[in-house]
Amino acid sequence: TGAQQSVTVANPVSGASLDLLPHFQLEPEDVYIVKNKAVSLACRATPATQIYFKCNGEWVHQGDHVTQHSTDRSTGLPVMEVRIEVTRQQVEKIFGLEEYWCQCVAWSSSGTTKSQKAFVRIAYLRKNFEQEPTAKEVSIEQGIVLPCRPPEGIPPAEVEWLRNEELVDPALDANVYVTPEHSLVLRQARLADTANYTCVAKNIVARRRSASAAITVYVNGGWSTWTQWSGCSTSCGRGWQKRSRTCTNPTPLNGGAFCEGQNVQKTACTTLCPVDGAWSEWSKWSVCGAECTHWRSRECSEPAPRNGGRECHGPELDTRNCTSELCSHAAPGAEDVALYVGLVAVAVCLVLLLLVGVLVYCRKKGGLDADVADSSILTAGFQPVSIKPSKADNPSLLTIQPDLSTATMTYQGSLCLRQDGPAKLQLPNGHLLSPLGAGRHTLHHSSPAAEGADFVARLSTQSYFRSLPRGNTNMAYGTFNFLGGRLMIPNTGVSLLIPPDAIPRGKIYEVYLTLHKQEEVRLPLAGCQTLLSPIVSCGPPGVLLTRPAILAMGHCVEASAENWSIRLKKQSCEGTWEDVLQLGAEPCTELYYCQLEAQACYIFTEQLGRFALVGESLSMAASKRLKLVLFAPAACPSLEYNIRVYCLSDTQDVLKEVIQLEKQLGGQLIGAPRVLHFKDSYHNLRLSIHDMPSSLWKSKLLASYQEIPFYHIWSGLQPFLHCTFTLERLSPSTCELACKIWVWQVEGDGQSFTVNFNIAKDTRFSDWLVADSEVGAPALVGPSAFKIPFLIRQKIISSLDPPGTRGADWRTLAQKLNLDSHLSFFASKPSPTAMILNLWEARHFPNGNLSQLAAAVAEVGKQDGAFFTVSEAEC
């Protein structure tokens, strides 16, 4: 009481507070004592003259309280806060079922108020699990339940699961969930679920691990279908024939049961024996004939050959003189001599006529202007679809190119249709494909590309040359004028199309196209960005183009608007990379445009420079295409043998580099490359080897699989990622290797390579690549670089650029060529038809089908009204 009075005197309160009961602003809360560390309890009340703690029904000594006074600024009432400490010894003194608790009691002149009870408990976690998971072997697609009952503890332990020391997160794997009793459930076992599983229990005191449980997912073998019955073992009489099956549907894995039953079946068979033919007796001699001979015959019928037996050997007809050489033969008649002379005369006349025809044709062909001849023939190729097509062995006239070998060629007059016969060709009437007006049309042909050494020497004087790769394998260059042309880097899918009139008339540009290796150019990537294409330079930078050039290159993205944000990046003169175009969005500039297709993109650009395609994933469903390629040494002089599995971005340029690298290492390609869709799921790529005959080979790897980290693959900046499987044959005489290599992303489906080859046999290197190689020179200049002849191109442009009746213009052509999604871009250019034809050239060179293009143009013409006819005589 004295203490309470002293507090009251020391802390006078206003008269208003004398009528209020204490109100707690802070009440004590439940706490745990960890090891021997004391815990603190606190409470705060207003207005209060005294506050004391009562623990387990007993008042705490006044000297154990720490008191702090203050005033509530909003009400002006006094505030008192009291703290005490509770030690482990105090709690342990309480025996029985009761728990240690503490409570605050606050006084004011109006009465007392009690706080809530706070329980103080000693935290602990036992060492031994009440139940631990056990090892299991389960069949694939079978459900798995791994029980785990954690050790006793206060507070109760939380449980998590580890798979090969990696946290199992049910939110990321729909095949996994954890029950309220802490058991781990795998709905359907997969091969990737083969691992060591550990149950981990933890609370504020400690963390306990259970013993690891090894889960092995095995695959029981299944029989393949029976093969066809073999031929009979004997060629004559009774024998045997057999058929077989293999335990490969599926092949047993991870100790799975081998197929039950026989792998070979036999059955009796009977083969008819061959019977050789034999001659019958000679017939009687015939009557002596007019030519003083008679004959006799025999037949191969005793017996006749059957069941594959041999035919009789020798003549079946015998002739001899029947007058003892006394018969005289008449001389050839006069009629025979006349016949022979006539045949010789006819042959001589045919030869002379053929020679005269050849001379007349050559002279006529040489005197005809090349433009008139070629363009008139080529125009006939654009005929309506209703016209009967030419035979398969007659090449399309559209493929004939004008002869532009001279420096300048001139044509005076109008252009009309020609045909080989008097038949008439129907064409749409009106503006579509109307004849070019009379006048003078001049075509210039640029000089051949400069010599490589001179070109590189000139480049070396420029500042930008320092960032270009050395050597000619990834570089193409040429000299171009207003006729345009094309640059290609063979076997990479990279090309640059310079359309006609893109270079101003009177200008001549030396243009290059280069393909960079990732280590040569630093392309910074942020966040989830990834490189989707090769890095390509075309230049020189700063070149003025009046029409967009088209840069074609491959990519490895499975594009979709909901999964990807794809941007075209260009390196500025200062060396920084800038976003110049976002695919799928409205272009903010008319300098760039990109047509993205399944495996290639076509970039329209009026400014040459360095470009790359970069993507940023918007969901975990986003995926890139990887190309999986296997290589092994062509010869094996030692017992050790290596199989290299490359995981490459699915673009031609990377595959070309790996082929060249392996060629230097003496490797040979094993099978055709496979494609794997790699998702943005943060999971690594795993590779393992299976089904290797243990009596002949053994693996020198310590682990059951190898991994390539996710970010190494996803960034796209490390082009030659691979894993090596080192094997050892148990005998130098072993030359056959049969095994399977699995490649899969941890949570997804995978690819299986069946490897079966003879390591002692020398095989040709990459024969499959030869068939797919690009044909043609790296630089094509002038009309030879285009499938569509120059004059025909000009005629289509002049016909389809103006708006046509009934929609017969460039819009309809774009729709028929499946390019109608780019109408706004085409419409922004002075000649939309030229943009469509340029894109067609970039997509279809050198194997484009001009007949299909001609059919599309003819279909547009059908919408333009009546038809007119033009005969060869009218030309």
Side-chain angles (χ1 to χ4, degrees):
T1 302
Q4 295 175 5
Q5 292 176 353
S6 65
V7 171
T8 303
V9 173
N11 297 281
V13 296
S14 64
S17 65
L18 297 177
D19 299 330
L20 297 177
L21 289 174
H23 168 70
F24 283 99
Q25 296 179 338
L26 175 65
E27 297 184 74
E29 296 180 349
D30 295 346
V31 290
Y32 293 96
I33 296 178
V34 179
K35 297 182 180 180
N36 294 321
K37 186 177 180 180
V39 295
S40 176
L41 299 177
C43 62
R44 183 171 62 247
T46 180
T49 57
Q50 289 295 339
I51 299 178
Y52 285 98
F53 271 94
K54 179 184 288 187
C55 293
N56 279 65
E58 297 182 1
W59 293 101
V60 178
H61 192 274
Q62 181 180 1
D64 295 333
H65 290 72
V66 177
T67 304
Q68 183 178 355
H69 298 276
S70 62
T71 301
D72 192 332
R73 293 183 180 179
S74 60
T75 63
L77 299 177
V79 177
M80 180 179 291
E81 182 175 340
V82 177
R83 292 179 180 271
I84 66 170
E85 285 192 352
V86 180
T87 64
R88 184 185 185 100
Q89 290 78 7
Q90 292 175 263
V91 177
E92 287 178 342
K93 289 180 181 179
I94 304 302
F95 295 98
L97 299 178
E98 294 184 359
E99 293 184 297
Y100 190 93
W101 57 269
C102 292
Q103 185 180 35
C104 277
V105 180
W107 282 268
S108 71
S109 60
S110 298
T112 62
T113 303
K114 294 181 180 180
S115 71
Q116 65 182 7
K117 289 183 178 180
F119 291 91
V120 182
R121 301 178 178 93
I122 298 176
Y124 67 94
L125 184 63
R126 305 295 185 200
K127 291 185 178 180
N128 297 325
F129 280 73
E130 295 184 8
Q131 185 178 11
E132 295 186 298
T134 56
K136 293 185 179 181
E137 293 185 357
V138 296
S139 176
I140 193 168
E141 296 185 353
Q142 179 182 341
I144 304 175
V145 178
L146 292 176
C148 176
R149 293 174 60 189
E152 179 187 354
I154 294 178
E158 298 178 356
V159 173
E160 62 184 18
W161 285 88
L162 301 179
R163 177 198 285 136
N164 285 346
E165 303 304 321
E166 293 183 0
L167 180 64
V168 177
D169 189 354
L172 300 178
D173 191 348
N175 193 49
V176 177
Y177 72 93
V178 179
T179 67
E181 295 78 22
H182 310 301
S183 296
L184 179 67
V185 178
L186 304 179
R187 292 184 173 91
Q188 288 185 324
R190 305 161 296 189
L191 287 176
D193 293 327
T194 298
N196 293 321
Y197 290 83
T198 307
C199 180
V200 179
K202 60 181 179 179
N203 65 3
I204 60 176
V205 179
R207 175 186 175 98
R208 312 290 187 204
R209 292 169 55 98
S210 71
S212 295
I215 299 299
T216 302
V217 180
Y218 62 85
V219 178
N220 291 324
W223 289 115
S224 66
T225 57
W226 289 102
T227 62
Q228 297 293 328
W229 286 104
S230 66
C232 200
S233 59
T234 61
S235 59
C236 177
R238 184 176 178 83
W240 298 92
Q241 60 182 160
K242 65 179 181 179
R243 64 177 182 174
S244 62
R245 58 182 179 174
T246 58
C247 188
T248 57
N249 188 30
T251 303
L253 290 175
N254 296 336
F258 199 78
C259 304
E260 295 183 359
Q262 295 179 342
N263 64 338
V264 176
Q265 283 185 345
K266 289 186 178 181
T267 185
C269 60
T270 302
T271 304
L272 296 176
C273 296
V275 177
D276 296 336
W279 292 113
S280 63
E281 295 292 333
W282 287 103
S283 66
K284 294 183 179 181
W285 288 103
S286 67
V287 179
C288 191
E291 296 183 354
C292 302
T293 59
H294 61 172
W295 53 270
R296 63 176 180 174
S297 64
R298 58 180 179 177
E299 295 180 352
C300 187
S301 59
E302 293 185 4
R306 61 180 182 271
N307 302 333
R310 292 192 298 270
E311 295 284 344
C312 300
H313 181 69
E316 61 180 356
L317 187 66
D318 184 20
T319 305
R320 70 179 182 180
N321 189 288
C322 57
T323 58
S324 301
E325 303 295 338
L326 298 178
C327 189
S328 59
H329 298 278
E335 295 82 4
D336 296 333
V337 175
L339 177 62
Y340 297 148
V341 172
L343 291 175
V344 172
V346 169
V348 171
C349 290
L350 289 175
V351 172
L352 292 176
L353 287 175
L354 181 61
L355 292 175
V356 171
V358 171
L359 292 175
V360 171
Y361 175 80
C362 294
R363 186 171 182 180
K364 183 178 180 181
K365 186 69 176 178
L368 186 64
D369 187 85
D371 285 352
V372 178
D374 290 338
S375 61
S376 60
I377 292 174
L378 293 170
T379 310
F382 288 94
Q383 50 183 289
V385 178
S386 60
I387 296 178
K388 184 177 181 181
S390 59
K391 295 182 179 180
D393 56 354
N394 183 20
S396 173
L397 296 177
L398 275 170
T399 60
I400 305 175
Q401 292 285 350
D403 182 10
L404 301 177
S405 58
T406 58
T408 303
M409 295 180 293
T410 305
Y411 163 59
Q412 177 74 34
S414 62
L415 182 67
C416 59
L417 302 174
R418 293 184 54 187
Q419 287 187 309
D420 295 306
K424 295 184 177 182
L425 172 68
Q426 291 185 346
L427 287 177
N429 195 7
H431 77 277
L432 181 62
L433 289 186
S434 58
L436 294 175
R440 192 174 185 86
H441 306 279
T442 303
L443 301 181
H444 297 276
H445 181 62
S446 64
S447 59
E451 293 294 332
D454 296 339
F455 191 92
V456 174
R458 287 191 294 273
L459 278 180
S460 62
T461 62
Q462 308 296 328
S463 59
Y464 56 80
F465 181 76
R466 293 190 297 270
S467 62
L468 297 180
R470 302 299 185 262
N472 296 327
T473 57
N474 289 329
M475 185 174 185
Y477 43 82
T479 304
F480 301 92
N481 61 5
F482 77 96
L483 286 178
R486 184 187 307 267
L487 292 175
M488 296 180 296
I489 303 177
N491 299 326
T492 63
V494 177
S495 64
L496 177 67
L497 177 75
I498 304 175
D501 293 325
I503 298 176
R505 293 177 180 261
K507 299 283 188 180
I508 296 178
Y509 291 157
E510 291 182 336
V511 182
Y512 66 84
L513 176 67
T514 63
L515 177 64
H516 297 273
K517 298 179 181 179
Q518 277 84 348
E519 61 269 19
E520 296 173 346
V521 178
R522 177 173 176 80
L523 175 61
L525 298 177
C528 299
Q529 289 183 343
T530 173
L531 181 63
L532 302 176
S533 72
I535 301 175
V536 178
S537 291
C538 54
V543 164
L544 174 64
L545 297 178
T546 59
R547 300 285 189 274
I550 301 180
L551 176 64
M553 58 185 179
H555 66 79
C556 61
V557 63
E558 292 295 312
S560 60
E562 63 274 12
N563 294 333
W564 283 99
S565 172
I566 302 176
R567 289 176 169 83
L568 176 66
K569 285 185 174 287
K570 181 175 183 290
Q571 193 174 30
S572 65
C573 298
E574 293 79 15
T576 59
W577 288 88
E578 302 171 347
D579 293 340
V580 296
L581 180 67
Q582 181 175 356
L583 276 64
E586 288 296 328
C588 58
T589 174
E590 296 183 357
L591 295 177
Y592 309 99
Y593 191 77
C594 184
Q595 156 82 354
L596 187 68
E597 298 189 353
Q599 294 186 336
C601 63
Y602 301 91
I603 301 167
F604 292 78
T605 175
E606 296 181 13
Q607 292 184 355
L608 303 184
R610 184 168 298 162
F611 296 91
L613 206 63
V614 172
E616 183 172 358
S617 64
L618 304 179
S619 72
M620 296 179 64
S623 64
K624 294 174 59 176
R625 292 190 315 274
L626 298 185
K627 182 153 286 185
L628 307 177
V629 194
L630 271 66
F631 285 93
C636 183
S638 64
L639 295 179
E640 192 173 280
Y641 197 69
N642 294 325
I643 298 178
R644 291 180 291 276
V645 185
Y646 287 86
C647 303
L648 315 171
S649 296
D650 186 17
T651 55
Q652 295 182 42
D653 60 296
V654 180
L655 183 59
K656 174 186 176 182
E657 293 290 336
V658 171
I659 292 291
Q660 293 175 347
L661 174 63
E662 281 291 333
K663 197 169 185 178
Q664 297 174 359
L665 297 176
Q668 68 179 14
L669 183 69
I670 305 176
R674 309 282 183 89
V675 173
L676 176 70
H677 296 280
F678 189 76
K679 293 184 178 181
D680 182 20
S681 61
Y682 302 99
H683 290 287
N684 300 338
L685 194 69
R686 289 185 177 176
L687 303 93
S688 60
I689 188 166
H690 303 276
D691 297 353
M692 189 170 52
S694 58
S695 60
L696 301 176
W697 295 85
K698 71 174 182 178
S699 173
K700 300 187 71 174
L701 298 178
L702 300 179
S704 59
Y705 59 84
Q706 299 187 69
E707 278 193 345
I708 300 179
F710 169 81
Y711 288 104
H712 290 184
I713 298 176
W714 189 255
S715 69
L717 298 177
Q718 301 187 36
F720 305 141
L721 293 172
H722 69 279
C723 283
T724 300
F725 291 95
T726 302
L727 311 178
E728 184 177 0
R729 49 181 175 172
L730 304 182
S731 172
S733 61
T734 300
C735 294
E736 297 289 338
L737 174 59
C739 62
K740 279 189 177 181
I741 294 179
W742 277 94
V743 183
W744 77 99
Q745 201 172 1
V746 173
E747 92 296 350
D749 298 328
Q751 293 280 345
S752 170
F753 287 84
T754 300
V755 180
N756 192 350
F757 62 100
N758 191 324
I759 63 177
K761 183 179 179 181
D762 185 17
T763 59
R764 294 179 61 190
F765 182 84
S766 302
D767 288 342
W768 66 272
L769 187 62
V770 176
D772 295 335
S773 298
E774 297 177 5
V775 179
L780 296 174
V781 181
S784 62
F786 305 98
K787 294 282 290 184
I788 307 172
F790 184 83
L791 295 180
I792 297 297
R793 169 191 169 89
Q794 296 301 107
K795 195 169 186 181
I796 297 174
I797 293 173
S798 62
S799 300
L800 298 186
D801 270 350
T805 60
R806 302 179 182 178
D809 55 20
W810 63 270
R811 294 175 179 83
T812 306
L813 179 62
Q815 181 180 6
K816 294 187 177 298
L817 297 179
N818 298 321
L819 300 175
D820 46 337
S821 60
H822 311 293
L823 293 181
S824 58
F825 169 70
F826 296 146
S828 66
K829 299 302 177 184
S831 175
T833 309
M835 294 297 101
I836 296 174
L837 298 181
N838 293 343
L839 181 56
W840 188 93
E841 290 278 8
R843 296 170 66 191
H844 296 88
F845 190 87
N847 301 317
N849 190 338
L850 277 176
S851 299
Q852 294 180 357
L853 179 61
V857 174
E859 284 290 326
V860 177
K862 284 185 177 181
Q863 304 180 20
D864 205 24
F867 286 18
F868 69 95
T869 59
V870 180
S871 67
E872 188 177 29
E874 292 171 337
C875 292

